[in-house]
Amino acid sequence: MAPDGKRQYQRIADELLKGINSEVWRPGDRLPTQEQLADRFGVSRATINEALRLLRDKHLIVTRQGSGTFVSESEAGVPSPRPGVPADAGHEDGDVWAVVSESIPPVLLKPYLEEAFEATEVRLDVFSMTTESLAARVSDQKSRIMTGVIAPPRSIRARLMLPDCDSPHLAIPRPVDGPDDPRVRRRLKGILQSHATMLREALYELRYQGFVQEVEVEVRLVPFSPQMKLYILNRRLALQGLYVTEEGTIPLPPDQEEVEIYDAYGTGATLFPYRASADATPDQVGIVRTFQAFFDSNWDNLATRADF
């Protein structure tokens, strides 16, 4: 069964999100025209319009009449709120339920990872669904080291904590209707194995080629789906992004049956930074320490070594 228009525009929006997150299109860049996108994906302009609407709703792109569609100028597409402005009242009595702050802007992973790899000792603690975003960025850092752009660190240690796809109790991904489908979990397992292996091989190549003396990469699995992606870089910086559960459609073997699933697409997740440094506020330092304690407790108590 061919996917309907709704499924198509969601799929196209996901692909465009990946391009924005991986910096195929950087902030301020113009996206291809609707005609070009329609040709690329083999769909109608109406379907492209719907995909772009989804991205506009997330403040990732802006459309300028007569000029085209552009990636938002803010780093992750989310406009910075004015300082000190309270959020809308959440109750009839007018109580403020949240306060916005521009002291924690949304960011991209790349510049922070570049900074982390310029340290003498690199430490990466990662909790995510597949490490897809990280694997590509780590390969970029390998190239920077091997081409002499930056001095090689003395050591690199990476700990990757991922969902155990053999567990039938994962909240996501799973079919929209009906019980657990092992085929959905096997698909996720193949994706995360591919990206984790790519990341691991990129780092170990630095050791094999004599650029980095000590390299250690360990992968452990937890029996639940992460609700957020978390990067802790050199124990000093935490980047947090929330996974948003959405409906999607995937083809499953052996007959490429189209199955509707709940899934989370981390390539479009907005990241927020928290830094523990000499000039950081006590709150920022405390948040980083809390994230580190959260990671360490799951790593030590719930995670088991991956067999791949």
Side-chain angles (χ1 to χ4, degrees), residues 33-96:
T33 66
Q34 291 186 18
E35 290 83 0
Q36 290 170 331
L37 291 173
D39 288 343
R40 175 184 299 186
F41 293 106
V43 298
S44 67
R45 284 189 59 183
T47 300
I48 296 297
N49 268 323
E50 286 299 303
L52 296 177
R53 179 185 60 79
L54 288 181
L55 300 185
R56 277 194 297 269
D57 289 347
K58 294 181 179 181
H59 308 288
L60 285 163
I61 62 172
V62 292
T63 298
R64 300 168 189 159
Q65 190 67 31
S67 298
T69 300
F70 299 81
V71 179
S72 174
E73 291 284 359
S74 62
E75 283 188 287
V78 180
S80 298
R82 297 191 305 273
V85 179
D88 293 336
H91 304 284
E92 291 182 359
D93 59 10
D95 288 342
V96 174

Side-chain angles (χ1 to χ4, degrees), residues 158-213:
R159 298 190 297 176
L160 312 179
M161 190 159 60
L162 306 171
D164 183 357
C165 300
D166 292 331
S167 170
H169 305 297
L170 295 184
I172 52 175
R174 65 184 305 111
V176 170
D177 52 3
D180 168 67
D181 189 332
R183 295 176 301 168
V184 175
R185 290 187 283 108
R186 284 196 295 269
R187 175 181 177 272
L188 175 64
K189 186 174 184 177
I191 293 172
L192 71 82
Q193 283 185 342
S194 172
H195 293 297
T197 299
M198 181 175 111
L199 187 153
R200 182 167 52 190
E201 290 181 350
L203 293 180
Y204 277 122
E205 185 178 356
L206 290 171
R207 190 179 73 184
Y208 301 148
Q209 297 293 333
F211 288 95
V212 181
Q213 296 177 15

Side-chain angles (χ1 to χ4, degrees), residues 73-81 100-109 111-112 237-241 269-275 284:
E73 291 284 359
S74 62
E75 283 188 287
V78 180
S80 298
V100 295
S101 169
E102 66 175 0
S103 62
I104 306 176
V107 299
L108 296 171
L109 174 61
Y112 287 91
L237 178 77
L239 301 173
Q240 177 201 28
T270 299
L271 297 176
F272 294 90
Y274 304 89
R275 187 183 295 274
Q284 288 259 317

Side-chain angles (χ1 to χ4, degrees), residues 124-180:
L124 309 177
D125 287 340
V126 180
F127 181 38
S128 78
M129 188 71 74
T130 65
T131 72
E132 178 178 356
S133 301
L134 181 67
R137 302 281 77 82
V138 165
S139 292
D140 293 341
Q141 302 317 305
K142 180 195 74 171
S143 297
R144 293 176 75 216
I145 292 171
M146 296 181 71
T147 57
V149 175
I150 59 173
R154 183 169 57 245
S155 66
I156 301 174
R157 183 187 181 196
R159 298 190 297 176
L160 312 179
M161 190 159 60
L162 306 171
D164 183 357
C165 300
D166 292 331
S167 170
H169 305 297
L170 295 184
I172 52 175
R174 65 184 305 111
V176 170
D177 52 3
D180 168 67

Side-chain angles (χ1 to χ4, degrees), residues 8-19:
Q8 285 181 321
Y9 74 70
Q10 288 177 330
R11 173 180 59 84
I12 292 167
D14 291 339
E15 290 300 315
L16 295 175
L17 272 175
K18 290 180 181 179

